[in-house]
Amino acid sequence: MKLTLPTLPKFPNLRKLPNLPNALRASPASRVALGLVGLMLAMLLLIDVFVGGFLPQRGDAERRHRLITAELIGTRVGQALQRNDPAALRTLLGASTRREPQLRSAAVLTDGELRAGIGPHAQQWRLGPDDASTLDNLRLPLFVDGRRSGELQLAFEPHTPRSLAGWLAEPVVLGMGLVAVLGFVAFQLYLRRAMRYLDPSAAVPERVRTAFDTLTEGVLVLDVKGRIMLANKAFLALGGPQATAPTGELATELAWLMRALPSGAGVPWQLATQRNEALLGIQMRVDADPTQRREVVANCSPINDGFKRARGCLVSFSDVTDLHERTERLREAMAELHSSREEIRAKNEELTLLATRDALTGCLNRRALLQDSDRAIAAAAQSGAPLSCIMCDIDHFKSINDRFGHGGGDEVLKAVAKALGRGLRTGDLLGRYGGEEFCVILPDATLEQARVIAERLRADVEANAGSSVRHLADVKVTMSFGVEQCGAHAAQFAAIVDRADQALYHSKKNGRNRVTLATELPAATPEETTAAH
């Protein structure tokens, strides 16, 4: 019998090892060591891919072993078929599965029918009628007397691990893992020693570090990537008792520092490095120490090389908390001073009002009236504008006092003052001249215009003054008026008032509740004037 075995297909290399888990937050030496280990393993895999045979191939040895096993079983099966001994054929297959642990099932087919089988072959056999053999399922044609009489089907254990534990048990995986662990330990020990000499902070002379630490301002030296190259004690003090600034770490990883930056303005040292220009006066509020909030002003200046290119950034932090507090106290003091000044101004206005106004009627008192009238007369004399004076007196005021008492008389005085003020123009002067007598100064008013105003005031008083005092029953209030214009006969205030007063007494003498112009006065002796008064 001649047994012909097909050429089994080549199988690809083992799958790549899964990536090692990311290192925890570790020192720079540990992270560099992990990177070097990864590079070393990658180079080993690349060498194996391009050179071949560098790493042991478990599949090739497995293939050779299974081919030899298949040839031995096939030879014996062929002999049993030639003897036409079915019992021997089943015994042969059973003995083969016991001797070969990786052989799960076997079957012999002749003319498309199963002659003998062992194990759960239907579940283990995965090839179709025309499929080529694989490393797990081998199909061997059987020849008896030079004629193909059937085929032998062998199902082996899967050569590829089906679980994580199986993968980890692979010799190549174990070897690569051991190389990775030993390499990581060796690299880390070496880098720790080497970085003592490469540490930028160690390269800074001690006298320079001491000089930086004596500065009252916080100082931070960063490289072009924003990594910390140097930080003095004043900077660390801003971050609180537990603050650290590890060399080589990004400054943006300091949480307390990032919280203090103005929102929406970007990272100032990054902007200064990118623009290659200084950023000054950055207001910050540091709250790293829960017992005290610090007001800080930061300044960022790029560090340039010989070609004017930014190679880093120098950041200074000035603690202006005391200045800020003094400014706030000064602002509060200024606010209190302003409030006091406003209060003083209001008091002054109140005092001025008390000094210039009649307390009962609210009109100008006599002294204020004299001062304002002198200024009005001087202005009229300078501009040539007319100016008139009205003197008015409440008729029968003594009888009102006798009838309603001084309280009733005061109410009548207030009603009369209100009526007189209601009928005057803006800029006219109204003052209580004395007792129940009032004086009105009318700038820019001729004698005739003053007479019209006086008539209007007289009518308003007669119509409304008495009725406005409602709690005084049946009181009738009228006034008598005398009018004079500033001119040749009366150029001074006293003279104008005297002439208007004479016209007033003429109105009282001739029936009261009327208006008399000074020009209408008849020639009178002083005795008559005194009697009318």
Side-chain angles (χ1 to χ4, degrees):
M1 183 188 72
K2 181 180 180 182
L3 181 64
T4 304
L5 296 176
T7 302
L8 296 178
K10 296 291 184 181
F11 292 94
N13 295 329
L14 293 175
R15 297 176 183 176
K16 292 184 179 181
L17 290 172
N19 294 331
L20 293 175
N22 293 330
L24 299 176
R25 253 352 209 177
S27 64
S30 298
R31 283 181 285 175
V32 173
L34 185 61
L36 291 176
V37 168
L39 289 175
M40 181 179 64
L41 295 179
M43 287 189 293
L44 290 177
L45 293 176
L46 287 175
I47 292 173
D48 183 68
V49 169
F50 289 106
V51 176
F54 183 75
L55 296 176
Q57 299 293 328
R58 177 175 178 270
D60 294 341
E62 191 73 28
R63 183 185 303 108
R64 288 192 296 270
H65 173 74
R66 293 185 180 185
L67 285 175
I68 293 173
T69 301
E71 289 178 354
L72 292 175
I73 296 175
T75 301
R76 294 172 182 174
V77 168
Q79 293 173 357
L81 288 176
Q82 193 170 15
R83 293 194 305 269
N84 196 17
D85 188 355
L89 188 60
R90 286 190 296 272
T91 302
L92 173 63
L93 293 179
S96 298
T97 56
R98 288 191 296 273
R99 285 194 304 268
E100 181 58 46
Q102 293 187 356
L103 183 61
R104 290 187 172 183
S105 66
V108 176
L109 283 76
T110 58
D111 298 330
E113 295 182 359
L114 180 65
R115 289 288 302 274
I118 192 71
H121 191 69
Q123 290 79 19
Q124 300 295 327
W125 188 254
R126 295 181 177 86
L127 297 181
D130 299 325
D131 293 339
S133 296
T134 64
L135 193 55
D136 296 337
N137 289 163
L138 288 176
R139 170 182 283 151
L140 288 82
L142 299 175
F143 293 88
V144 177
D145 297 333
R147 182 178 63 85
R148 179 170 179 171
S149 61
E151 71 176 13
L152 173 65
Q153 297 179 352
L154 300 176
F156 291 89
E157 291 278 353
H159 75 285
T160 302
R162 299 298 177 89
S163 64
L164 179 60
W167 274 110
L168 294 178
E170 289 290 312
V172 174
V173 176
L174 291 175
M176 296 287 279
L178 182 61
V179 170
V181 172
L182 294 178
F184 177 78
V185 173
F187 285 140
Q188 188 182 42
L189 293 176
Y190 175 77
L191 288 172
R192 282 183 178 178
R193 193 174 189 86
M195 282 188 173
R196 294 177 184 175
Y197 302 98
L198 299 177
D199 188 358
S201 62
V204 178
E206 186 62 29
R207 61 180 180 275
V208 177
R209 295 186 58 85
T210 302
F212 269 94
D213 288 338
T214 57
L215 296 176
T216 57
E217 290 187 346
V219 177
L220 196 61
V221 180
L222 308 174
D223 66 4
V224 71
K225 297 293 186 180
R227 293 185 290 252
I228 299 173
M229 308 299 293
L230 182 64
N232 68 346
K233 292 181 179 179
F235 172 76
L236 297 179
L238 291 174
Q242 306 299 325
T244 58
T247 301
E249 294 288 344
L250 292 173
T252 52
E253 295 180 357
L254 300 178
W256 65 267
L257 180 60
M258 297 305 294
R259 287 198 308 269
L261 293 177
S263 59
V267 181
W269 51 86
Q270 292 179 355
L271 297 177
T273 305
Q274 294 169 3
R275 301 172 184 174
N276 199 11
E277 61 182 21
L279 295 180
L280 307 177
I282 303 165
Q283 300 290 331
M284 301 173 58
R285 181 168 292 179
V286 179
D287 57 357
D289 188 352
T291 62
Q292 186 178 17
R293 177 175 292 177
R294 313 297 296 178
E295 298 291 337
V296 177
V297 175
N299 298 310
C300 302
S301 299
I303 303 173
N304 294 336
D305 58 12
F307 299 97
K308 304 296 183 182
R309 293 176 299 189
R311 293 300 184 184
C313 188
L314 177 65
V315 189
S316 63
F317 301 87
S318 300
D319 190 346
V320 295
T321 304
D322 294 338
L323 178 60
H324 187 270
E325 291 177 353
R326 288 196 295 268
T327 302
E328 286 296 323
R329 289 196 295 268
L330 179 59
R331 185 179 292 111
E332 292 175 359
M334 291 297 293
E336 292 178 359
L337 180 61
H338 179 73
S339 177
S340 299
R341 186 172 58 185
E342 289 297 319
E343 185 177 355
I344 292 173
R345 185 184 61 80
K347 293 294 184 181
N348 287 336
E349 291 180 355
E350 184 178 354
L351 291 174
T352 301
L353 185 64
L354 292 174
T356 59
R357 294 286 174 173
D358 178 63
L360 179 62
T361 61
C363 303
L364 292 173
N365 58 27
R366 184 164 182 165
R367 184 177 66 177
L369 178 64
L370 291 175
Q371 294 175 352
D372 293 349
S373 298
D374 287 340
R375 285 193 292 267
I377 291 172
Q382 184 177 3
S383 63
L387 183 141
S388 298
C389 172
I390 300 176
M391 294 295 293
C392 51
D393 187 271
I394 300 175
D395 297 330
H396 305 295
F397 185 70
K398 184 177 182 303
S399 64
I400 296 175
N401 273 337
D402 294 340
R403 182 180 175 185
F404 300 103
H406 289 287
D410 291 344
E411 294 296 325
V412 171
L413 285 172
K414 288 190 287 185
V416 167
K418 185 176 181 181
L420 293 176
R422 187 168 55 240
L424 295 178
R425 306 166 302 173
T426 302
D428 294 341
L429 303 177
L430 171 63
R432 185 180 178 187
Y433 199 71
E436 69 274 17
E437 189 175 14
F438 293 85
C439 177
V440 179
I441 301 299
L442 304 173
D444 296 323
T446 62
L447 186 64
E448 182 59 28
Q449 291 172 336
R451 185 189 66 80
V452 174
I453 294 174
E455 284 289 352
R456 185 171 65 246
L457 296 177
R458 183 199 62 78
D460 192 4
V461 169
E462 182 182 13
N464 300 310
S467 60
S468 64
V469 188
R470 297 180 180 178
H471 60 281
L472 301 182
D474 300 329
V475 64
K476 181 174 178 61
V477 181
T478 60
M479 295 189 75
S480 298
F481 292 79
V483 183
E484 171 63 317
Q485 180 180 349
C486 180
H489 296 288
Q492 299 297 324
F493 177 71
I496 298 173
V497 170
D498 185 62
R499 290 279 296 173
D501 214 20
Q502 293 178 26
L504 165 63
Y505 296 144
H506 187 271
S507 294
K508 284 184 170 291
K509 184 179 178 181
N510 291 277
R512 293 182 172 83
N513 192 21
R514 58 185 301 165
V515 176
T516 301
L517 302 181
T519 55
E520 299 173 350
L521 290 175
T525 65
E527 292 80 4
E528 293 175 337
T529 302
T530 303
H533 181 70

